[in-house]
C-alpha cells in the first residue's frame, strides 16, 4: 500500500523557507547596524554537473536573503597551489564572511589541505579541523550544513532526546560523524553503522531516531523500522524507474512511512535544509565578524 500521509511527513521545503525568511530579517538588521553586507564566496572547480546545479541554487538563495554572492569558477586542471591562493585571498577579503569550496575536488588536489586552509571563522561548511574539534567538544562552532539541517528538523519535533536510541547509517565527515555529535548534544544514545557493520537491520530495529546517509537507493526496508520511529533520510540517489529518472532516498519511503511516526521525503525533506543552513552559518559568522551582538539558533526559532 502506498502511503502519502501528510501528518507523518516532515516538510523540509516549508521549514527551510521559514528559516530563509528569518535569515533575511536578521540579515537586514545586521546590515543596518553594521553598514556592511555579508558575503558568501563559492569556489567551484571543474564541471561536475551535480555540483554546478547545487552551486547555482546556492547563489540564487544567497541573493534572495540579501547577501552578496562571490563566485570563483576554476578549471578542472587548476593546480593545488593556485586553488590555495584563491582561498587565501578570500581569507583576507573583508567583503567575504563565508567561504565554501564545493566538493568533490579533482583527484590531484588534497581536499583536506584546502579545507584546512579556510579561516575557521569563514568556514561556513564546518569542515575545518578546528570547527570539527569544537563541535565534538560541545563548544560553539560552525556546524556542517546537512547534519545541522537534520538536527533542526529533529529539534522541532523533540528538543531533548534523553533516553532515545539514535542510529545513523554512514560515517562520512560531511554527514554521519557530525550528525552523531549533534545527536549526542541532544542527549540521544548514538550508534553509527557503516559499510563494515554486520547487523545493520537489527540495529535499525532498535532506533527511535534513524538517520540514513549511505548513498544506496532505498536500502532501509519498511520492516527494519521500529513502530513510532522518526526517520531522517539524507540520501539523494538518481535512479531509473519505469523509464523515468527519479530521485529516491536511502530509505524505501513508501514502505518505511508505515511504521514511522515522522519521515522526511526525498526530495523535499533534508535537501532544502542544507542550503538554508549554509545561509544560517553565514549569518551567524557575519554577526561575529562585524562585531554586532551575536544571535543564537533560538533567536531564529522564537
Ligand atoms: P559517503 O559516500 O561519503 O559516505 C557513505 C557512508 O555510508 C560511508 O560512511 C560508508 O561507510 C557507509 N556505507 C556504504 N555502504 C554501506 C552499507 N552497505 N551499509 C552501511 N553503510 C554503508 O556519502 P555522504 O557524503 O555521507 O552522503 C550520503 C548520502 O547522502 C548520499 O546519497 C548523498 O548524495 C546524500 N547527501 C545529501 C545531502 C543533502 O543535502 N541532502 C548532503 C550530503 C550528502
Amino acid at each position: 500500500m502506498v502511503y502519502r500521509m501528510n501528518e507523518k511527513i516532515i516538510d523540509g521545503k516549508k521549514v527551510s523557507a521559514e528559516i530563509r525568511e528569518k535569515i533575511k530579517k536578521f540579515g537586514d538588521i545586521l546590515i543596518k547596524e553594521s553598514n556592511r553586507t555579508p558575503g558568501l564566496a563559492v569556489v567551484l572547480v571543474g564541471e561536475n554537473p551535480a555540483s554546478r546545479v547545487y552551486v547555482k541554487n546556492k547563489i540564487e538563495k544567497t541573493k534572495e536573503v540579501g547577501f552578496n554572492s562571490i563566485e570563483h569558477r576554476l578549471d578542472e586542471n587548476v593546480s593545488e597551489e593556485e586553488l590555495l591562493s584563491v582561498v587565501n585571498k578570500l581569507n583576507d577579503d573583508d567583503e567575504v564572511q563565508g567561504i565554501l569550496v564545493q566538493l568533490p575536488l579533482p583527484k590531484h588536489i588534497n581536499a583536506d589541505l584546502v579545507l584546512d586552509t579556510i579561516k575557521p571563522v569563514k568556514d561556513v561548511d564546518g569542515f575545518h579541523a578546528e570547527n570539527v574539534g569544537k563541535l565534538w567538544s560541545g563548544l560553539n562552532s560552525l556546524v556542517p550544513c546537512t547534519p545541522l539541517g537534520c538536527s533542526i528538523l529533529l529539534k522541532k519535533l523533540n528538543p531533548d532526546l534523553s533516553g532515545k536510541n539514535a542510529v545513523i547509517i554512514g560515517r562520512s565527515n560531511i554527514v554521519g560523524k557530525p550528525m552523531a555529535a549533534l545527536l549526542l548534544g541532544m542527549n540521544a544514545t548514538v550508534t553509527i553503522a557503516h559499510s563494515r557493520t554486520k547487523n545493520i537491520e537489527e540495529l535499525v530495529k532498535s532506533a527511535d531516531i534513524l538517520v540514513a546517509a549511505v548513498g544506496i537507493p532505498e536500502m532501509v526496508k519498511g520492516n527494519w523500522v521500529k513502530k513510532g520511529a522518526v526517520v531522517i533520510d539524507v540520501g539523494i540517489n538518481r535512479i531509473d524507474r519505469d523509464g523515468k529518472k527519479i530521485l529516491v532516498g536511502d530509505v524505501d519511503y513508501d514502505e518505511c512511512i508505515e511504521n514511522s511516526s515522522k519521515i522526511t521525503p526525498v526530495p523535499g525533506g533534508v535537501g532544502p535544509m542544507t542550503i538554508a543552513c549554509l545561509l544560517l552559518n553565514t549569518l551567524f559568522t557575519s554577526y561575529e565578524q562585524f562585531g554586532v551582538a551575536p544571535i543564537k539558533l533560538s533567536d531564529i526559532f522564537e
Side-chain angles (χ1 to χ4, degrees):
M1 181 169 183
V2 175
Y3 286 87
R4 293 282 160 188
M5 290 181 284
N6 281 335
E7 73 275 11
K8 287 197 176 187
I9 295 171
I10 304 174
D11 189 346
K13 213 169 156 189
K14 182 164 164 250
V15 177
S16 65
E18 287 163 8
I19 293 174
R20 282 185 278 110
E21 234 172 74
K22 292 277 178 70
I23 294 172
K24 170 102 182 65
K25 181 182 143 200
F26 281 94
D28 287 349
I29 295 171
L30 175 65
I31 293 167
K32 217 168 149 196
E33 283 194 25
S34 64
N35 221 3
R36 294 175 70 186
T37 303
L40 173 60
V42 178
V43 182
L44 177 62
V45 180
E47 300 289 326
N48 179 320
S51 295
R52 283 177 59 150
V53 173
Y54 189 45
V55 164
K56 182 172 164 272
N57 232 328
K58 280 176 189 166
I59 293 168
E60 259 174 42
K61 296 279 183 284
T62 303
K63 292 178 181 164
E64 262 175 42
V65 296
F67 296 171
N68 290 330
S69 172
I70 299 104
E71 298 150 42
H72 286 266
R73 289 172 193 269
L74 305 174
D75 188 82
E76 177 83 25
N77 298 315
V78 68
S79 68
E80 186 177 281
E81 197 186 349
E82 216 173 313
L83 175 57
L84 290 175
S85 131
V86 170
V87 171
N88 276 318
K89 280 199 187 109
L90 294 170
N91 279 339
D92 294 337
D93 187 341
D94 284 345
E95 301 289 306
V96 172
Q97 281 62 53
I99 304 170
L100 178 149
V101 177
Q102 183 64 43
L103 300 177
L105 288 169
K107 291 215 162 28
H108 66 278
I109 291 176
N110 178 345
D112 290 335
L113 176 64
V114 174
L115 296 179
D116 271 351
T117 301
I118 298 172
K119 256 191 198 167
V121 73
K122 295 191 177 187
D123 170 38
V124 282
D125 252 340
F127 296 154
H128 191 287
E130 186 176 312
N131 283 319
V132 175
K134 282 185 171 174
L135 174 63
W136 280 99
S137 307
L139 299 171
N140 227 352
S141 66
L142 287 162
V143 176
C145 304
T146 301
L148 178 60
C150 297
S151 76
I152 290 172
L153 293 176
L154 285 169
K155 270 196 186 119
K156 279 178 87 81
L157 297 173
N158 188 354
D160 185 4
L161 300 179
S162 301
K164 303 282 184 202
N165 285 333
V167 173
I168 302 162
I169 317 179
R171 58 172 162 183
S172 71
N173 290 337
I174 295 174
V175 189
K177 285 185 203 158
M179 191 70 240
L182 290 168
L183 283 163
L184 281 174
M186 293 167 78
N187 297 321
T189 303
V190 181
T191 305
I192 306 182
H194 50 79
S195 52
R196 306 289 175 94
T197 303
K198 292 247 173 335
N199 54 342
I200 290 197
E201 184 177 335
E202 286 314 306
L203 287 175
V204 171
K205 283 180 176 165
S206 73
D208 301 302
I209 314 291
L210 172 67
V211 180
V214 200
I216 300 180
E218 300 176 329
M219 173 181 151
V220 176
K221 299 300 168 202
N223 62 354
W224 297 17
V225 175
K226 181 173 158 181
K227 192 114 194 117
V230 174
V231 177
I232 304 288
D233 190 354
V234 180
I236 302 179
N237 308 291
R238 195 171 292 277
I239 63 161
D240 280 315
R241 181 164 293 156
D242 304 329
K244 279 194 215 145
K245 286 210 182 314
I246 59 163
L247 286 184
V248 297
D250 290 341
V251 309
D252 187 322
Y253 179 84
D254 287 331
E255 283 186 19
C256 292
I257 197 167
E258 184 157 357
N259 276 349
S260 62
S261 60
K262 292 278 177 190
I263 185 166
T264 56
V266 176
V270 173
M273 293 297 289
T274 298
I275 291 183
C277 288
L278 174 70
L279 300 172
L280 198 56
N281 279 343
T282 307
L283 178 75
F284 287 145
T285 191
S286 298
Y287 264 82
E288 186 178 335
Q289 290 174 55
F290 294 171
V292 174
I295 50 165
K296 300 184 293 300
L297 260 188
S298 53
D299 298 324
I300 299 281
F301 292 107
E302 256 168 16

